[in-house]
Amino acid sequence: MPAADIAPAATMLYVENVTMRFGGLTAVDDASLNVPKGSITGLIGPNGAGKTTLFSIVSGFLKPTGGRVSFDGADVTHLPAHELAEKGLGRTFQIVKPFAGLTVAENVAVGAFLRHRHRADAETVAERVATRVGLGDRLDAPAARLTVAGRKRLELAKVLATEPKLLLLDEVLAGLNPSEVRDILPVIRGLRDDGITILMIEHVMQAVVSLCDRVFVLAQGAVIASGTPREVVADPRVVEAYLGKGAAARLARAEAADA
Amino acid sequence: MRSSLRPYLPVLALGVLLALAPLLLTSNVALNFLAVTLIVSLAAQGWNLLGGFGGQFSFGHAAFFGVGAYSSAIWQMRFGLDAWTGLLVGTAMGAVTGLVIGFLAFRAGLRGSYFALVTLAFAEVFRVLANSSEVTGGAAGMLLPLKIGAGNLQFSDRATFLGLVVALTVLVLGLVQWIRGSRFGAQLVALRENEEAARALGVDVLAVKLKAIGLSGAITATAGVLYLQYFLFIDANIAFGTWISVEVLLAAIVGGLGTVLGPVVGALALHGLGELVKAAVGQLPGIDLAVYGAILVVAVAFLPGGLVGLARRRAAPRQVRKAEPEGGRA
Ligand SMILES: Nc1ncnc2c1ncn2[C@@H]1O[C@H](COP(=O)(O)OP(=O)(O)OP(=O)(O)O)[C@@H](O)[C@H]1O
Ligand SMILES: [Mg+2]
């Protein structure tokens, strides 16, 4: 139980033995993980490992078949998504979900309205947040006209406008070119510096290594490893999860032969 | 303060224009045309709040129109109470009906054509019930006793009644404009665009939908009461008839879905064209429907934002250009 030794007061999110079955398919299999307050924690794993499903459970979009989720010290397993957002748990979607018919400013304002009843306040917050993620010059553009990178930024801006304590980022870097990735890394780091705890699903390993304090590895629904980014990428179980059974041994033999 | 009143300018302008009508028009035909059209436009404003802003297309707004009309008629004829409180009771019953239908449909997660069908079913059930129940006068309908007087919401001249209809129309336009700028309005539009994204941003989708259908039902029911007071007669096929369900959604779509002025502009355009065609080809049975069908096809094919959208594009061609795809950020 990797989380047992963590004092609850220092834990922002605690996922405890969560299982999710879709009919015969076990998408998440008795997974446990914890996210310390103030950290950037990574969640990696091969395609179909159950990462997004776990996010959907944590953020209240799916009810788990079994297990518990605690957020900021309280059991939130059965809370609906909008109440979790209200409590300060924000998420982005891997497949971005812009309000396509609205402008960038209007999109972000929907998030800002969560904490600000008056339009003028919500608009001020929306503008500040949009500027922060690099959309300051696109405020009046219809969301439908944004590029892929623009939509990713918008997805981030919308949830930031809800002023979350914990931010779940589902592959916000996917589909971006290397220079766009370089642009957005400091933004994410800046959020942590502002006190937002982050749990991020990411395939771009360079980003995981440079951002994350700790990483959990999910494979076929189960957490198979955790540790610093360098530790987990060197872990043979992780290599095998990505490359197939026996891959770690084959790699080691190949390296030995090369030497 | 000035900037916060700015969004209300179009509503005010249209309000002034409409308010002049009862003062300037003298022909009974014109007064009658405007009164009926504005009653339909009021009902359409109710539909537009839910369908245009909230994206929940109802095919049975006759349910609310009829509940408003019948509630007030029963209030006056069976309980002997007065017409003004009848207006309030009719409106309140519309809200209650909206909340009940909304609770059943939205809690079950019904969307799109399923929601449309459920509303249609409610309207039809109400129609059958009103047609057979004693308290609603059965198939004979309900004829309000003629008691001319402002206290009874019955006026000897059409212009005065039209003044009341204009006042309520403008009041609701103002209300919808206010909603549009409010948090509730932003959340309503957000769930229309993407429910999951809205939930992730803390929008209580069920609560917002219920609020919308309650208000929608209330507004359309108010129109039903006005209809009753204007004609002093309703029966099931009028009050719960498909005609009103169809006209309100047509008016909103032709005028501009999810725009504040759309339903009024759309109703005026629909009825105006209908009258023109009637004048040209005479009273053919079913000609209204043919005209409405043609208008709907034209609106859907050529007017994506309705007439209001068209006017906006004309007024601000530069803004459209500004919204061209981005050419990369410098
Ligand atoms: N609603 C659902 N119903 C049935 N099966 C589902 C559902 N959602 C996800 N799955 C299945 O659960 C498994 C895990 O999917 P999930 O999207 O969580 O993986 P992931 O780790 O996010 O993958 P990727 O890296 O490709 O995004 C997959 O086999 C997927 O097909
Ligand atoms: Mg995924």
Side-chain angles (χ1 to χ4, degrees), chain B residues 1 91 120 134 171 180 209 223 226 235 237 276 278 299 303:
Chain B
M1 205 63 236
T91 301
L120 176 62
E134 222 162 274
L171 189 76
R180 192 171 175 271
K209 283 183 182 174
L226 289 179
D235 67 21
N237 290 328
L276 283 180
K278 261 185 234 160
L303 294 174

PDB file of all heavy atoms in Angstrom, chain B residues 1 91 120 134 171 180 209 223 226 235 237 276 278 299 303:
ATOM      1  N   MET B   1     -22.614  52.294 -15.549  1.00  0.00           N
ATOM      2  CA  MET B   1     -24.051  52.050 -15.603  1.00  0.00           C
ATOM      3  C   MET B   1     -24.526  52.041 -17.045  1.00  0.00           C
ATOM      4  O   MET B   1     -25.321  51.213 -17.457  1.00  0.00           O
ATOM      5  CB  MET B   1     -24.757  53.172 -14.813  1.00  0.00           C
ATOM      6  CG  MET B   1     -26.123  52.774 -14.269  1.00  0.00           C
ATOM      7  SD  MET B   1     -26.047  51.432 -13.062  1.00  0.00           S
ATOM      8  CE  MET B   1     -27.120  50.237 -13.773  1.00  0.00           C
ATOM      9  N   THR B  91     -49.907  31.429 -15.256  1.00  0.00           N
ATOM     10  CA  THR B  91     -48.455  31.481 -15.399  1.00  0.00           C
ATOM     11  C   THR B  91     -47.790  30.494 -14.428  1.00  0.00           C
ATOM     12  O   THR B  91     -46.897  29.734 -14.808  1.00  0.00           O
ATOM     13  CB  THR B  91     -47.951  32.908 -15.117  1.00  0.00           C
ATOM     14  OG1 THR B  91     -48.582  33.791 -16.047  1.00  0.00           O
ATOM     15  CG2 THR B  91     -46.449  33.006 -15.277  1.00  0.00           C
ATOM     16  N   LEU B 120     -44.236  16.189 -26.697  1.00  0.00           N
ATOM     17  CA  LEU B 120     -45.369  16.006 -27.608  1.00  0.00           C
ATOM     18  C   LEU B 120     -46.422  15.107 -26.959  1.00  0.00           C
ATOM     19  O   LEU B 120     -47.630  15.394 -27.008  1.00  0.00           O
ATOM     20  CB  LEU B 120     -44.888  15.390 -28.925  1.00  0.00           C
ATOM     21  CG  LEU B 120     -45.964  15.043 -29.952  1.00  0.00           C
ATOM     22  CD1 LEU B 120     -46.696  16.291 -30.400  1.00  0.00           C
ATOM     23  CD2 LEU B 120     -45.348  14.340 -31.157  1.00  0.00           C
ATOM     24  N   GLU B 134     -65.008  17.027 -17.555  1.00  0.00           N
ATOM     25  CA  GLU B 134     -66.113  17.947 -17.341  1.00  0.00           C
ATOM     26  C   GLU B 134     -65.625  19.330 -16.924  1.00  0.00           C
ATOM     27  O   GLU B 134     -66.158  20.352 -17.336  1.00  0.00           O
ATOM     28  CB  GLU B 134     -67.031  17.375 -16.254  1.00  0.00           C
ATOM     29  CG  GLU B 134     -68.496  17.525 -16.584  1.00  0.00           C
ATOM     30  CD  GLU B 134     -69.326  16.582 -15.734  1.00  0.00           C
ATOM     31  OE1 GLU B 134     -69.489  15.407 -16.132  1.00  0.00           O
ATOM     32  OE2 GLU B 134     -69.782  17.028 -14.681  1.00  0.00           O
ATOM     33  N   LEU B 171     -41.745  43.099 -21.502  1.00  0.00           N
ATOM     34  CA  LEU B 171     -41.291  42.665 -20.175  1.00  0.00           C
ATOM     35  C   LEU B 171     -40.501  41.357 -20.287  1.00  0.00           C
ATOM     36  O   LEU B 171     -39.409  41.210 -19.718  1.00  0.00           O
ATOM     37  CB  LEU B 171     -42.506  42.467 -19.267  1.00  0.00           C
ATOM     38  CG  LEU B 171     -42.213  42.217 -17.796  1.00  0.00           C
ATOM     39  CD1 LEU B 171     -41.823  43.528 -17.126  1.00  0.00           C
ATOM     40  CD2 LEU B 171     -43.427  41.606 -17.100  1.00  0.00           C
ATOM     41  N   ARG B 180     -29.781  36.272 -20.427  1.00  0.00           N
ATOM     42  CA  ARG B 180     -28.687  36.056 -21.358  1.00  0.00           C
ATOM     43  C   ARG B 180     -27.355  36.521 -20.770  1.00  0.00           C
ATOM     44  O   ARG B 180     -26.308  35.931 -21.019  1.00  0.00           O
ATOM     45  CB  ARG B 180     -28.986  36.820 -22.644  1.00  0.00           C
ATOM     46  CG  ARG B 180     -28.094  36.458 -23.777  1.00  0.00           C
ATOM     47  CD  ARG B 180     -28.577  37.080 -25.060  1.00  0.00           C
ATOM     48  NE  ARG B 180     -27.604  36.793 -26.096  1.00  0.00           N
ATOM     49  CZ  ARG B 180     -26.570  37.579 -26.340  1.00  0.00           C
ATOM     50  NH1 ARG B 180     -26.412  38.690 -25.666  1.00  0.00           N
ATOM     51  NH2 ARG B 180     -25.692  37.238 -27.265  1.00  0.00           N
ATOM     52  N   LYS B 209     -31.460  22.948 -16.225  1.00  0.00           N
ATOM     53  CA  LYS B 209     -32.520  22.569 -17.167  1.00  0.00           C
ATOM     54  C   LYS B 209     -33.902  22.758 -16.543  1.00  0.00           C
ATOM     55  O   LYS B 209     -34.840  23.203 -17.207  1.00  0.00           O
ATOM     56  CB  LYS B 209     -32.354  21.113 -17.591  1.00  0.00           C
ATOM     57  CG  LYS B 209     -31.264  20.874 -18.621  1.00  0.00           C
ATOM     58  CD  LYS B 209     -31.294  19.402 -18.985  1.00  0.00           C
ATOM     59  CE  LYS B 209     -30.216  19.046 -19.985  1.00  0.00           C
ATOM     60  NZ  LYS B 209     -30.166  17.583 -20.208  1.00  0.00           N
ATOM     61  N   ALA B 223     -48.798  33.400 -22.366  1.00  0.00           N
ATOM     62  CA  ALA B 223     -49.348  33.610 -23.707  1.00  0.00           C
ATOM     63  C   ALA B 223     -50.697  32.904 -23.839  1.00  0.00           C
ATOM     64  O   ALA B 223     -51.628  33.438 -24.445  1.00  0.00           O
ATOM     65  CB  ALA B 223     -48.358  33.103 -24.757  1.00  0.00           C
ATOM     66  N   LEU B 226     -53.336  35.004 -22.246  1.00  0.00           N
ATOM     67  CA  LEU B 226     -53.675  36.156 -23.094  1.00  0.00           C
ATOM     68  C   LEU B 226     -54.588  35.730 -24.241  1.00  0.00           C
ATOM     69  O   LEU B 226     -55.524  36.446 -24.609  1.00  0.00           O
ATOM     70  CB  LEU B 226     -52.399  36.805 -23.643  1.00  0.00           C
ATOM     71  CG  LEU B 226     -51.556  37.560 -22.615  1.00  0.00           C
ATOM     72  CD1 LEU B 226     -50.298  38.128 -23.273  1.00  0.00           C
ATOM     73  CD2 LEU B 226     -52.364  38.696 -21.981  1.00  0.00           C
ATOM     74  N   ASP B 235     -60.917  25.699 -26.719  1.00  0.00           N
ATOM     75  CA  ASP B 235     -61.237  24.284 -26.596  1.00  0.00           C
ATOM     76  C   ASP B 235     -59.934  23.502 -26.690  1.00  0.00           C
ATOM     77  O   ASP B 235     -58.864  24.090 -26.877  1.00  0.00           O
ATOM     78  CB  ASP B 235     -62.282  23.843 -27.636  1.00  0.00           C
ATOM     79  CG  ASP B 235     -61.751  23.887 -29.061  1.00  0.00           C
ATOM     80  OD1 ASP B 235     -60.522  23.868 -29.246  1.00  0.00           O
ATOM     81  OD2 ASP B 235     -62.576  23.938 -29.996  1.00  0.00           O
ATOM     82  N   ASN B 237     -58.584  21.551 -28.843  1.00  0.00           N
ATOM     83  CA  ASN B 237     -57.795  21.573 -30.074  1.00  0.00           C
ATOM     84  C   ASN B 237     -57.119  22.913 -30.318  1.00  0.00           C
ATOM     85  O   ASN B 237     -56.145  23.006 -31.065  1.00  0.00           O
ATOM     86  CB  ASN B 237     -58.671  21.208 -31.274  1.00  0.00           C
ATOM     87  CG  ASN B 237     -59.060  19.741 -31.233  1.00  0.00           C
ATOM     88  OD1 ASN B 237     -58.294  18.912 -30.747  1.00  0.00           O
ATOM     89  ND2 ASN B 237     -60.258  19.441 -31.692  1.00  0.00           N
ATOM     90  N   LEU B 276     -49.756  37.694 -46.356  1.00  0.00           N
ATOM     91  CA  LEU B 276     -49.503  38.098 -47.741  1.00  0.00           C
ATOM     92  C   LEU B 276     -49.935  37.001 -48.704  1.00  0.00           C
ATOM     93  O   LEU B 276     -50.592  37.263 -49.713  1.00  0.00           O
ATOM     94  CB  LEU B 276     -48.018  38.403 -47.940  1.00  0.00           C
ATOM     95  CG  LEU B 276     -47.533  39.743 -47.393  1.00  0.00           C
ATOM     96  CD1 LEU B 276     -46.038  39.914 -47.648  1.00  0.00           C
ATOM     97  CD2 LEU B 276     -48.321  40.886 -48.047  1.00  0.00           C
ATOM     98  N   LYS B 278     -52.054  34.640 -48.176  1.00  0.00           N
ATOM     99  CA  LYS B 278     -53.515  34.519 -48.154  1.00  0.00           C
ATOM    100  C   LYS B 278     -54.151  35.591 -49.029  1.00  0.00           C
ATOM    101  O   LYS B 278     -55.093  35.337 -49.773  1.00  0.00           O
ATOM    102  CB  LYS B 278     -54.043  34.647 -46.724  1.00  0.00           C
ATOM    103  CG  LYS B 278     -54.330  33.295 -46.080  1.00  0.00           C
ATOM    104  CD  LYS B 278     -54.971  33.482 -44.710  1.00  0.00           C
ATOM    105  CE  LYS B 278     -54.204  32.726 -43.655  1.00  0.00           C
ATOM    106  NZ  LYS B 278     -54.476  33.217 -42.302  1.00  0.00           N
ATOM    107  N   ALA B 299     -35.327  28.908 -44.141  1.00  0.00           N
ATOM    108  CA  ALA B 299     -34.584  29.373 -42.969  1.00  0.00           C
ATOM    109  C   ALA B 299     -33.455  28.411 -42.619  1.00  0.00           C
ATOM    110  O   ALA B 299     -32.326  28.829 -42.347  1.00  0.00           O
ATOM    111  CB  ALA B 299     -35.531  29.532 -41.773  1.00  0.00           C
ATOM    112  N   LEU B 303     -30.491  30.528 -43.685  1.00  0.00           N
ATOM    113  CA  LEU B 303     -30.357  31.474 -42.581  1.00  0.00           C
ATOM    114  C   LEU B 303     -29.921  30.760 -41.306  1.00  0.00           C
ATOM    115  O   LEU B 303     -30.729  30.533 -40.417  1.00  0.00           O
ATOM    116  CB  LEU B 303     -31.700  32.169 -42.305  1.00  0.00           C
ATOM    117  CG  LEU B 303     -32.276  33.103 -43.346  1.00  0.00           C
ATOM    118  CD1 LEU B 303     -33.668  33.553 -42.921  1.00  0.00           C
ATOM    119  CD2 LEU B 303     -31.377  34.301 -43.549  1.00  0.00           C
TER     120      LEU B 303
END
